[in-house]
Amino acid sequence: FRAVREFMRRIRWLLPGVLLVGASAILLAPIQEWFRSWIRDIWLGQGVPIAVKALLSLSYVVIFATLRLWLTVAILVFALRQSYRA
């Protein structure tokens, strides 16, 4: 129960951090969808080598996964730091 009490002490900063992570995920979705449709158009197009198609698809997955991960980590670390300063 000690962990729950500690969490409740820091909720003032952590809850907005979690909500900001959710909002950033929602705001990134249209950008990610635009890139996904752009890559799909290239994938279905003629004359593009399969190696380029594969590289684009892999880059898309890695870039957006990395972006979402580090954005989430940055927001939550900031919120946690602020909770210790308060």
Side-chain angles (χ1 to χ4, degrees), residues 3-65:
V4 172
R5 280 194 308 272
E6 187 68 23
F7 182 76
M8 293 311 289
R9 277 188 42 226
R10 302 187 188 293
I11 194 99
R12 190 177 119 220
W13 286 99
L14 295 179
L15 183 61
V18 170
L19 293 175
L20 187 58
V21 166
S24 68
I26 290 169
L27 292 174
L28 270 177
I31 298 167
Q32 191 171 355
E33 180 57 37
W34 182 83
F35 274 99
R36 184 181 6 241
S37 66
W38 178 69
I39 290 172
R40 185 185 61 234
D41 292 343
I42 290 173
W43 188 268
L44 296 175
Q46 301 294 325
V48 180
I50 192 71
V52 173
K53 292 177 180 181
L55 182 63
L56 277 174
S57 296
L58 180 63
S59 298
Y60 165 78
V61 170
V62 170
I63 287 170
F64 275 100

